[in-house]
Amino acid sequence: MSETVLSIHQLSKRYGRIQAVNQLSLEVRRGQVFGILGPNGSGKTTTLGMVLDLVRSDSGTYTWFNEKPSKECRKRIGAVIETPNFFPYLSAAKNLEIVAQVKGFTYSDIDRVLTLTGLFERRLDRFRTFSFGMKQRLAVASALLNQPEVLILDEPTNGLDPQGIAQIRNLVQQVALEGFTIILASHLLDEVQKICSHVAVLNKGNILFSGEVSKVLAVADSLEISSNDNEALKSALAKHPHFSALSETNGMVSAVFKTYTPPEALNQFLVQHGIFLTHLCERHRTLEQHFLELLNDSGS
Amino acid sequence: MKLLKIELKKIVTYRTFWIIFGLYFAFLALGIILAEFIVNAMVDDINKRLPIPLPHAVLFNFPDIWQNLTFFASIRYVLIFPAILIIILITNEFTNKTVRQNIINGMSRSEFLISKLQLVLLLALVITVVLTIVIFILGIAHSDIQNISQLFVRFSFVPGFFVQMVSFLCYALFFGFLFRNTGLTIALFTLYCLIIEPVIYFFLRAPFIWENKIYPYLPVNAVIRVVEYPAIPALKKLMNFQLQEGISLIACGTPILYSALMIGIIFWSFNKRDL
């Protein structure tokens, strides 16, 4: 296992009657592109705000790089939370100079990140004159300044046009390929699916699910089966401990796993009960189905 | 120094700042130019009713000029300009959310606050130095040799003015941290300084004997009372001015105490709250 970058333990935050984040724990390791996926208001930004010292947590702890959180830790992080935060009356370059000064860097990396984000030509223009997409790219540029150990992006494509979305995504993917650790909060499943290696699904401040994106996508969650006698099939399956729900549509029985069971094991089991299958197929649920199911289960 | 450098970077190319800064000095210069004219118009008016006419006031000779210019530079309508500058600079951080970005990028909350305090001190210092230079030039131009020997007799008004400036700018900082929104903060601050406090005075004054014991201790008035009167002998006699030979430490203590309290509250609440 690679080194832990961010470790969150039982973090909670309440705003009045609303529990924004509820005893949330997660771990991000070096080299991961970690997606925090959840609908608006699920606690993504609050969580990131807490680990960046913007929001005071009610309870719980977190560490960066296995150290107690401090301003020095934050200098190793490049982060953009919610909207791009810059002085409208200062030029792009001047704004980045302020970022560099706060972090204790020289100005030597500014031209590189401006070029990387396609803003070099506009570097002397005031931030106010930028389009929303350019503002968002400048935010990414400031986060990338001096190659931080972790890149945190909160809804980086929110409010952008398709071209802007593509630009930001390409940029993030390009950066991800260089081996950066990235934490990406998004309400767009598609975005997480395309960019991330790991994901935590959040709803109403709770983690519903967390794991590798590829596993979520690869692991089958149900089997589609039929035999000449579906009633017998269903009563046999009902006795099997690994299945939770059974349903029948168009002569196909769908059996949802409680625990994953390989097809050959099930086949053997059914043969022992005198049932011979005419159809057996693994069904892979997509992350989207999973996402929506998880949200439904938690009652939203 | 590192923090102050960052603050200066935010100001150097900020046009609004320089416009208000320029307006402040223009307003101040106009006030100084008109002061002698207005005061002598008053003297002329009074002289109509007096058997023995009073001599015309001389505002710009040493050592009185120290007191007179610091007095005119610290009336509330003039002080409000640099206060607005501070309010704009601090509320900008909240409305542009750059305060969040500063924290994210590795500034501690205390450092953020310290950087703003350094800015307050710097602005107060610059204004005090400019005023001192103006006093020197005007004073030398208006004084004869005998007066020049008394050049530094009332120099204590300069550090007194610096205390006024720092305290008043701390009040502005406090309002900025409290209300965060530029327009709202400027409106409330101006309202308090120019209307609410004088109104409190008005209602305290009539029914109570202890009026004058309370009023000098209201925050804004405590600042203004550091330099209580101009040094105009003619008016002193007529309007029952007390003689103010220098700056009293007690008069300086009240605004310093208020500022310290406000900074304490900012520190405490800013470290606690969500950004």
Side-chain angles (χ1 to χ4, degrees):
Chain A
M1 277 286 224
S2 54
E3 186 198 336
T4 302
V5 170
L6 169 65
S7 169
I8 298 178
H9 183 68
Q10 303 265 303
L11 216 51
S12 294
K13 177 72 183 180
R14 175 178 280 280
Y15 291 114
R17 277 170 43 239
I18 297 173
Q19 187 71 46
V21 175
N22 186 21
Q23 306 214 315
L24 184 141
S25 300
L26 60 81
E27 199 145 303
V28 179
R29 291 174 181 282
R30 197 167 292 284
Q32 288 181 348
V33 179
F34 196 99
I36 299 178
L37 179 65
N40 294 327
S42 57
K44 305 182 297 284
T45 302
T46 308
T47 304
L48 293 180
M50 284 192 282
V51 297
L52 291 169
D53 197 36
L54 296 177
V55 175
R56 295 298 193 210
S57 61
D58 296 333
S59 62
T61 54
Y62 64 92
T63 58
W64 280 108
F65 316 107
N66 291 318
E67 286 171 30
K68 236 182 91 194
S70 69
K71 59 173 180 153
E72 296 309 321
C73 289
R74 295 201 299 279
K75 288 179 182 165
R76 297 159 69 181
I77 303 164
V80 183
I81 301 296
E82 285 180 313
T83 49
N85 306 322
F86 295 104
F87 288 99
Y89 54 84
L90 292 182
S91 68
K94 279 267 186 313
N95 269 305
L96 291 188
E97 284 173 17
I98 290 177
V99 175
Q101 274 182 308
V102 171
K103 291 195 161 193
F105 301 145
T106 61
Y107 301 159
S108 57
D109 201 38
I110 289 175
D111 286 353
R112 181 188 71 88
V113 293
L114 282 171
T115 310
L116 190 67
T117 49
L119 292 170
F120 187 73
E121 304 297 317
R122 296 289 304 269
R123 69 192 181 285
L124 299 177
D125 292 339
R126 286 161 191 261
F127 179 66
R128 169 193 301 145
T129 66
F130 281 18
S131 70
F132 190 72
M134 292 164 72
K135 288 179 177 176
Q136 203 67 272
R137 275 186 281 148
L138 184 66
V140 176
S142 86
L144 287 171
L145 202 63
N146 282 58
Q147 313 255 6
E149 291 170 55
V150 200
L151 187 64
I152 299 181
L153 301 168
D154 181 18
E155 307 273 6
T157 57
N158 212 3
L160 294 181
D161 57 19
Q163 195 197 354
I165 291 175
Q167 280 171 337
I168 295 277
R169 280 197 190 149
N170 288 338
L171 201 60
V172 175
Q173 276 168 327
Q174 198 182 328
V175 170
L177 285 176
E178 289 170 28
F180 272 94
T181 310
I182 301 176
I183 300 173
L184 174 87
S186 179
H187 66 278
L188 301 171
L189 176 87
D190 172 52
E191 188 163 277
V192 170
Q193 220 166 355
K194 278 185 180 148
I195 298 173
C196 299
S197 64
H198 292 70
V199 65
V201 180
L202 235 69
N203 193 36
K204 295 183 172 172
N206 293 294
I207 287 198
L208 303 179
F209 169 83
S210 125
E212 278 177 49
V213 169
S214 59
K215 277 196 184 147
V216 181
L217 289 169
V219 171
D221 83 320
S222 66
L223 287 172
E224 201 177 70
I225 11 179
S226 67
S227 73
N228 291 327
D229 184 356
N230 278 349
E231 290 311 310
L233 173 64
K234 280 197 275 186
S235 63
L237 282 174
K239 290 175 208 144
H240 196 285
H242 289 178
F243 295 96
S244 59
L246 293 175
S247 60
E248 190 178 344
T249 38
N250 300 330
M252 290 286 174
V253 175
S254 168
V256 178
F257 291 127
K258 234 186 289 177
T259 320
Y260 177 70
T261 312
E264 62 273 23
L266 179 77
N267 210 347
Q268 197 181 3
F269 169 83
L270 289 172
V271 168
Q272 281 164 6
H273 284 74
I275 296 163
F276 297 92
L277 297 175
T278 54
H279 178 90
L280 172 60
C281 179
E282 274 192 339
R283 282 286 164 206
H284 295 218
R285 90 191 126 178
T286 63
L287 190 54
E288 180 146 33
Q289 280 169 331
H290 194 163
F291 183 43
L292 292 173
E293 276 165 28
L294 286 166
L295 294 184
N296 282 332
D297 286 351
S298 69
S300 78
Chain B
M1 279 323 267
K2 184 195 143 198
L3 293 173
L4 198 56
K5 254 188 180 162
I6 297 172
E7 288 307 302
L8 289 177
K9 179 151 276 175
K10 295 172 187 172
I11 294 172
V12 171
T13 56
Y14 186 23
R15 203 183 304 151
T16 310
F17 176 89
W18 293 110
I19 290 172
I20 297 175
F21 199 59
L23 271 178
Y24 166 61
F25 281 111
F27 200 67
L28 193 59
L30 191 75
I32 292 168
I33 292 163
L34 290 179
E36 202 164 48
F37 178 75
I38 292 169
V39 167
N40 284 329
M42 284 167 75
V43 171
D44 287 337
D45 192 43
I46 293 161
N47 281 346
K48 284 179 199 156
R49 284 171 276 140
L50 291 178
I52 311 152
L54 292 165
H56 268 188
V58 184
L59 298 181
F60 302 140
N61 61 338
F62 285 117
D64 289 351
I65 187 172
W66 296 112
Q67 184 174 355
N68 289 332
L69 284 208
T70 49
F71 174 81
F72 290 119
S74 64
I75 54 179
R76 48 185 102 210
Y77 302 98
V78 182
L79 278 179
I80 207 94
F81 281 89
I84 286 172
L85 278 183
I86 288 293
I87 289 173
I88 289 175
L89 290 177
I90 178 64
T91 52
N92 264 349
E93 300 274 2
F94 290 113
T95 51
N96 298 323
K97 293 190 173 175
T98 42
V99 55
R100 289 166 61 105
Q101 203 59 48
N102 278 338
I103 303 297
I104 291 172
N105 291 341
M107 204 183 249
S108 73
R109 290 174 187 229
S110 303
E111 278 177 337
F112 179 80
L113 189 51
I114 288 166
S115 73
K116 295 299 166 199
L117 286 175
Q118 287 179 345
L119 191 66
V120 161
L121 288 174
L122 182 72
L123 187 61
L125 190 71
V126 167
I127 292 172
T128 308
V129 167
V130 170
L131 189 71
T132 309
I133 293 169
V134 169
I135 290 175
F136 259 110
I137 294 168
L138 267 180
I140 287 167
H142 281 81
S143 303
D144 50 36
I145 294 147
Q146 186 210 334
N147 285 336
I148 285 174
S149 67
Q150 289 185 298
L151 202 81
F152 288 107
V153 169
R154 294 189 181 199
F155 185 76
S156 74
F157 282 98
V158 170
F161 177 75
F162 182 68
V163 168
Q164 285 183 305
M165 211 67 213
V166 172
S167 312
F168 200 67
L169 295 183
C170 282
Y171 297 178
L173 198 66
F174 178 71
F175 269 68
F177 269 94
L178 201 64
F179 300 108
R180 295 179 177 205
N181 174 296
T182 311
L184 180 75
T185 310
I186 292 176
L188 288 175
F189 189 77
T190 313
L191 193 72
Y192 180 79
C193 295
L194 303 187
I195 297 171
I196 295 180
E197 231 191 65
V199 166
I200 292 174
Y201 170 57
F202 181 79
F203 282 109
L204 278 182
R205 177 181 147 132
F208 302 113
I209 317 155
W210 37 272
E211 38 140 320
N212 275 330
K213 291 198 176 68
I214 296 262
Y215 188 47
Y217 296 105
L218 293 175
V220 175
N221 223 62
V223 167
I224 288 162
R225 291 294 167 104
V226 170
V227 183
E228 209 165 359
Y229 308 107
I232 303 169
L235 295 183
K236 209 179 286 172
K237 275 181 219 148
L238 274 173
M239 302 178 117
N240 199 21
F241 282 3
Q242 289 140 15
L243 201 69
Q244 190 179 4
E245 284 299 335
I247 294 293
S248 108
L249 284 178
I250 295 167
C252 286
T254 318
I256 289 174
L257 224 65
Y258 273 119
S259 320
L261 184 72
M262 287 177 190
I263 291 165
I265 293 171
I266 299 173
F267 252 104
W268 175 76
S269 69
F270 189 60
N271 266 307
K272 248 183 48 168
R273 79 181 178 192
D274 300 335
L275 298 175

